[in-house]
Amino acid sequence: MEFTLNNGVTIPALGLGVFQSPPEQTTAAVEAALAAGYRHIDTAAAYGNEREVGDGIRRSGPDRPDVFIETKVWVSDYGHDQTLHAWKKAAGKLGTDYLDLFILHQPAPDRFEKTIAAYKALETLLADGRVRAIGVSNFMPHHLEELLAATDVVPAVNQIEVHPYFAQPAVQAADAVNGILTQAWSPIGGITFYPGWGENRRNVMEEPAIAAVGNAHGKTPAQVMLRWHLQQGRSAIPKSTNPARISENFNVFDFELSSDELAAIDALDTGVRNGPDPDEARPERFAMVIPEA
Ligand code: NAP
């Protein structure tokens, strides 16, 4: 299943995420995903595993043009020339001469003018054919508004936290109005249960309403959540380093949720964000230096 982006480029709807995939496990995870049928990998400079993603792609069967590579510029590389250089770092580590989708990892509220300059560098890379599509991540409607007013190319994608406990309908609506594809991060709610990220979180994987839908279809909670994204027109990039779960997460093309089932999942939204607030500067995190290729 694919979506067509606002510039005509197609993107496989489901991709493998690699946030928190240790570099030494990432190559094997990418190989397992490509063997299971995935043709889209989502990484980021900040994840420290672009090199291993590239290795996994090269060791696998599909040719480079058949794999959609998405990566993200980190905040410390925002600014026009810095972001052009960030492309060199990313492409060098991934071992490719073009990226399929290059996005800004998040708005930097303490230096929004640098965020805009970074996006203008993405426009340059797009015009030069060094990326096939450009976009953003964690942009709220007001960030999109400011970006659209200051730049020429409408982002193809906005990658945001979306799972049944936090669906961000206002951001999804702003994306839709502007022709931007919403891509769900933590699509199976990883951020509600990552080990070591704090106690007392409600784990969406243990939600009875999702289990009930799964039981009706002989599918797991992860498969139900992924199907919910796909049927509502969102790209999703579930992360796993476990080959069985990587396959499980791709086995979602043989069943259909009813409109009542989709509505039951929509009704679980708490409106409470689990990830960082995109309007909050995180100076220490933002300062992380991305190594050269
Ligand atoms: P996720 O994909 O919703 O969940 C990942 C977690 O679920 C991992 O702990 C994984 O463990 C586990 N898991 C995977 N498949 C499972 C299954 N079938 N059943 C039970 N558990 C399963 O969360 P995420 O990693 O936060 O989000 C996915 C991707 O989105 C990331 O990898 C990254 O590419 C992207 N992301 C982007 C941002 C951003 O700011 N733009 C933020 C967060 C994430 P195992 O590996 O052990 O299977």
Side-chain angles (χ1 to χ4, degrees), residues 62-83:
D63 294 334
R64 168 68 187 92
D66 296 325
V67 182
F68 191 99
I69 303 181
E70 173 174 0
T71 191
K72 314 182 191 82
V73 186
W74 185 242
V75 177
S76 55
D77 282 330
Y78 285 4
H80 189 267
D81 293 354
Q82 295 95 317
T83 300

mmCIF file of all heavy atoms in Angstrom, residues 62-83:
data_model
loop_
_atom_site.group_PDB
_atom_site.id
_atom_site.type_symbol
_atom_site.label_atom_id
_atom_site.label_comp_id
_atom_site.label_asym_id
_atom_site.label_seq_id
_atom_site.Cartn_x
_atom_site.Cartn_y
_atom_site.Cartn_z
ATOM 1 N N PRO A 62 16.353 -5.935 -2.233
ATOM 2 C CA PRO A 62 15.837 -4.858 -3.096
ATOM 3 C C PRO A 62 16.928 -3.871 -3.506
ATOM 4 O O PRO A 62 17.824 -3.565 -2.730
ATOM 5 C CB PRO A 62 14.801 -4.159 -2.218
ATOM 6 C CG PRO A 62 14.549 -5.054 -1.068
ATOM 7 C CD PRO A 62 15.709 -5.969 -0.916
ATOM 8 N N ASP A 63 16.826 -3.383 -4.737
ATOM 9 C CA ASP A 63 17.762 -2.359 -5.202
ATOM 10 C C ASP A 63 17.445 -1.038 -4.505
ATOM 11 O O ASP A 63 16.314 -0.807 -4.076
ATOM 12 C CB ASP A 63 17.616 -2.163 -6.721
ATOM 13 C CG ASP A 63 18.043 -3.414 -7.471
ATOM 14 O OD1 ASP A 63 18.875 -4.181 -6.932
ATOM 15 O OD2 ASP A 63 17.532 -3.623 -8.599
ATOM 16 N N ARG A 64 18.427 -0.157 -4.478
ATOM 17 C CA ARG A 64 18.258 1.154 -3.815
ATOM 18 C C ARG A 64 16.976 1.891 -4.244
ATOM 19 O O ARG A 64 16.244 2.395 -3.370
ATOM 20 C CB ARG A 64 19.514 2.014 -4.060
ATOM 21 C CG ARG A 64 19.375 3.490 -3.686
ATOM 22 C CD ARG A 64 19.255 3.677 -2.185
ATOM 23 N NE ARG A 64 18.966 5.060 -1.830
ATOM 24 C CZ ARG A 64 17.727 5.565 -1.669
ATOM 25 N NH1 ARG A 64 16.657 4.814 -1.857
ATOM 26 N NH2 ARG A 64 17.576 6.826 -1.319
ATOM 27 N N PRO A 65 16.652 1.957 -5.560
ATOM 28 C CA PRO A 65 15.443 2.725 -5.929
ATOM 29 C C PRO A 65 14.154 2.101 -5.402
ATOM 30 O O PRO A 65 13.115 2.767 -5.371
ATOM 31 C CB PRO A 65 15.439 2.693 -7.461
ATOM 32 C CG PRO A 65 16.816 2.277 -7.860
ATOM 33 C CD PRO A 65 17.380 1.467 -6.741
ATOM 34 N N ASP A 66 14.217 0.850 -4.987
ATOM 35 C CA ASP A 66 13.001 0.193 -4.491
ATOM 36 C C ASP A 66 12.815 0.357 -2.982
ATOM 37 O O ASP A 66 11.860 -0.172 -2.412
ATOM 38 C CB ASP A 66 13.033 -1.300 -4.862
ATOM 39 C CG ASP A 66 13.013 -1.477 -6.375
ATOM 40 O OD1 ASP A 66 12.348 -0.658 -7.051
ATOM 41 O OD2 ASP A 66 13.688 -2.391 -6.870
ATOM 42 N N VAL A 67 13.743 1.056 -2.336
ATOM 43 C CA VAL A 67 13.625 1.279 -0.885
ATOM 44 C C VAL A 67 13.489 2.779 -0.636
ATOM 45 O O VAL A 67 14.273 3.569 -1.162
ATOM 46 C CB VAL A 67 14.860 0.733 -0.129
ATOM 47 C CG1 VAL A 67 14.688 0.929 1.373
ATOM 48 C CG2 VAL A 67 15.090 -0.746 -0.462
ATOM 49 N N PHE A 68 12.502 3.145 0.151
ATOM 50 C CA PHE A 68 12.231 4.561 0.447
ATOM 51 C C PHE A 68 12.952 4.905 1.758
ATOM 52 O O PHE A 68 12.611 4.386 2.815
ATOM 53 C CB PHE A 68 10.714 4.748 0.581
ATOM 54 C CG PHE A 68 10.256 6.178 0.628
ATOM 55 C CD1 PHE A 68 9.760 6.805 -0.512
ATOM 56 C CD2 PHE A 68 10.294 6.900 1.815
ATOM 57 C CE1 PHE A 68 9.312 8.125 -0.469
ATOM 58 C CE2 PHE A 68 9.852 8.221 1.870
ATOM 59 C CZ PHE A 68 9.361 8.830 0.725
ATOM 60 N N ILE A 69 13.958 5.783 1.646
ATOM 61 C CA ILE A 69 14.748 6.144 2.835
ATOM 62 C C ILE A 69 14.332 7.533 3.322
ATOM 63 O O ILE A 69 14.415 8.522 2.578
ATOM 64 C CB ILE A 69 16.260 6.157 2.543
ATOM 65 C CG1 ILE A 69 16.721 4.800 2.003
ATOM 66 C CG2 ILE A 69 17.040 6.529 3.806
ATOM 67 C CD1 ILE A 69 18.225 4.733 1.705
ATOM 68 N N GLU A 70 13.913 7.572 4.570
ATOM 69 C CA GLU A 70 13.487 8.828 5.214
ATOM 70 C C GLU A 70 14.422 9.093 6.387
ATOM 71 O O GLU A 70 14.668 8.209 7.207
ATOM 72 C CB GLU A 70 12.041 8.637 5.719
ATOM 73 C CG GLU A 70 11.527 9.780 6.560
ATOM 74 C CD GLU A 70 10.033 9.619 6.911
ATOM 75 O OE1 GLU A 70 9.411 8.621 6.507
ATOM 76 O OE2 GLU A 70 9.513 10.514 7.598
ATOM 77 N N THR A 71 14.964 10.310 6.471
ATOM 78 C CA THR A 71 15.749 10.653 7.650
ATOM 79 C C THR A 71 15.500 12.111 8.025
ATOM 80 O O THR A 71 14.790 12.836 7.322
ATOM 81 C CB THR A 71 17.251 10.311 7.466
ATOM 82 O OG1 THR A 71 17.904 10.423 8.745
ATOM 83 C CG2 THR A 71 17.942 11.212 6.464
ATOM 84 N N LYS A 72 16.045 12.498 9.194
ATOM 85 C CA LYS A 72 15.688 13.801 9.778
ATOM 86 C C LYS A 72 16.936 14.600 10.145
ATOM 87 O O LYS A 72 17.912 14.030 10.628
ATOM 88 C CB LYS A 72 14.858 13.592 11.062
ATOM 89 C CG LYS A 72 13.742 12.572 10.907
ATOM 90 C CD LYS A 72 12.902 12.403 12.171
ATOM 91 C CE LYS A 72 11.989 11.201 12.033
ATOM 92 N NZ LYS A 72 12.626 9.915 12.319
ATOM 93 N N VAL A 73 16.834 15.898 9.952
ATOM 94 C CA VAL A 73 17.899 16.825 10.349
ATOM 95 C C VAL A 73 17.722 17.130 11.830
ATOM 96 O O VAL A 73 16.603 17.461 12.263
ATOM 97 C CB VAL A 73 17.769 18.183 9.616
ATOM 98 C CG1 VAL A 73 18.972 19.073 9.922
ATOM 99 C CG2 VAL A 73 17.564 18.005 8.133
ATOM 100 N N TRP A 74 18.798 17.072 12.608
ATOM 101 C CA TRP A 74 18.675 17.453 14.022
ATOM 102 C C TRP A 74 18.836 18.968 14.189
ATOM 103 O O TRP A 74 19.435 19.646 13.348
ATOM 104 C CB TRP A 74 19.679 16.668 14.903
ATOM 105 C CG TRP A 74 19.438 16.998 16.343
ATOM 106 C CD1 TRP A 74 20.309 17.600 17.206
ATOM 107 C CD2 TRP A 74 18.205 16.813 17.070
ATOM 108 N NE1 TRP A 74 19.688 17.783 18.439
ATOM 109 C CE2 TRP A 74 18.408 17.323 18.371
ATOM 110 C CE3 TRP A 74 16.948 16.284 16.738
ATOM 111 C CZ2 TRP A 74 17.402 17.307 19.350
ATOM 112 C CZ3 TRP A 74 15.949 16.278 17.704
ATOM 113 C CH2 TRP A 74 16.183 16.780 18.992
ATOM 114 N N VAL A 75 18.276 19.492 15.275
ATOM 115 C CA VAL A 75 18.191 20.939 15.539
ATOM 116 C C VAL A 75 19.568 21.622 15.512
ATOM 117 O O VAL A 75 19.685 22.752 15.025
ATOM 118 C CB VAL A 75 17.507 21.174 16.908
ATOM 119 C CG1 VAL A 75 17.478 22.650 17.252
ATOM 120 C CG2 VAL A 75 16.096 20.578 16.908
ATOM 121 N N SER A 76 20.595 20.950 16.014
ATOM 122 C CA SER A 76 21.930 21.578 16.061
ATOM 123 C C SER A 76 22.466 21.834 14.647
ATOM 124 O O SER A 76 23.436 22.569 14.492
ATOM 125 C CB SER A 76 22.907 20.694 16.846
ATOM 126 O OG SER A 76 22.940 19.392 16.285
ATOM 127 N N ASP A 77 21.842 21.228 13.647
ATOM 128 C CA ASP A 77 22.244 21.460 12.258
ATOM 129 C C ASP A 77 21.285 22.397 11.531
ATOM 130 O O ASP A 77 21.301 22.470 10.295
ATOM 131 C CB ASP A 77 22.340 20.123 11.503
ATOM 132 C CG ASP A 77 23.628 19.378 11.830
ATOM 133 O OD1 ASP A 77 24.635 20.055 12.133
ATOM 134 O OD2 ASP A 77 23.632 18.135 11.784
ATOM 135 N N TYR A 78 20.402 23.090 12.260
ATOM 136 C CA TYR A 78 19.493 24.042 11.604
ATOM 137 C C TYR A 78 20.252 25.315 11.207
ATOM 138 O O TYR A 78 21.176 25.747 11.892
ATOM 139 C CB TYR A 78 18.322 24.426 12.532
ATOM 140 C CG TYR A 78 17.266 23.344 12.667
ATOM 141 C CD1 TYR A 78 17.404 22.088 12.067
ATOM 142 C CD2 TYR A 78 16.106 23.573 13.400
ATOM 143 C CE1 TYR A 78 16.428 21.110 12.201
ATOM 144 C CE2 TYR A 78 15.123 22.603 13.545
ATOM 145 C CZ TYR A 78 15.287 21.372 12.943
ATOM 146 O OH TYR A 78 14.323 20.406 13.091
ATOM 147 N N GLY A 79 19.788 25.898 10.095
ATOM 148 C CA GLY A 79 20.454 27.056 9.487
ATOM 149 C C GLY A 79 20.709 26.640 8.044
ATOM 150 O O GLY A 79 20.831 25.449 7.764
ATOM 151 N N HIS A 80 20.761 27.595 7.123
ATOM 152 C CA HIS A 80 20.804 27.198 5.709
ATOM 153 C C HIS A 80 22.022 26.337 5.369
ATOM 154 O O HIS A 80 21.887 25.189 4.932
ATOM 155 C CB HIS A 80 20.748 28.440 4.806
ATOM 156 C CG HIS A 80 20.584 28.083 3.365
ATOM 157 N ND1 HIS A 80 21.653 27.934 2.511
ATOM 158 C CD2 HIS A 80 19.477 27.802 2.635
ATOM 159 C CE1 HIS A 80 21.211 27.582 1.312
ATOM 160 N NE2 HIS A 80 19.895 27.508 1.357
ATOM 161 N N ASP A 81 23.218 26.859 5.630
ATOM 162 C CA ASP A 81 24.421 26.122 5.223
ATOM 163 C C ASP A 81 24.624 24.873 6.082
ATOM 164 O O ASP A 81 25.044 23.823 5.585
ATOM 165 C CB ASP A 81 25.653 27.027 5.300
ATOM 166 C CG ASP A 81 25.568 28.137 4.250
ATOM 167 O OD1 ASP A 81 24.629 28.110 3.430
ATOM 168 O OD2 ASP A 81 26.434 29.027 4.266
ATOM 169 N N GLN A 82 24.295 24.987 7.375
ATOM 170 C CA GLN A 82 24.423 23.820 8.269
ATOM 171 C C GLN A 82 23.526 22.683 7.786
ATOM 172 O O GLN A 82 23.897 21.519 7.845
ATOM 173 C CB GLN A 82 24.021 24.183 9.705
ATOM 174 C CG GLN A 82 24.922 25.198 10.382
ATOM 175 C CD GLN A 82 24.383 26.609 10.236
ATOM 176 O OE1 GLN A 82 23.931 27.023 9.161
ATOM 177 N NE2 GLN A 82 24.432 27.365 11.321
ATOM 178 N N THR A 83 22.336 23.020 7.318
ATOM 179 C CA THR A 83 21.401 21.968 6.905
ATOM 180 C C THR A 83 21.822 21.347 5.575
ATOM 181 O O THR A 83 21.669 20.139 5.375
ATOM 182 C CB THR A 83 19.962 22.526 6.881
ATOM 183 O OG1 THR A 83 19.651 22.971 8.205
ATOM 184 C CG2 THR A 83 18.954 21.479 6.432
#
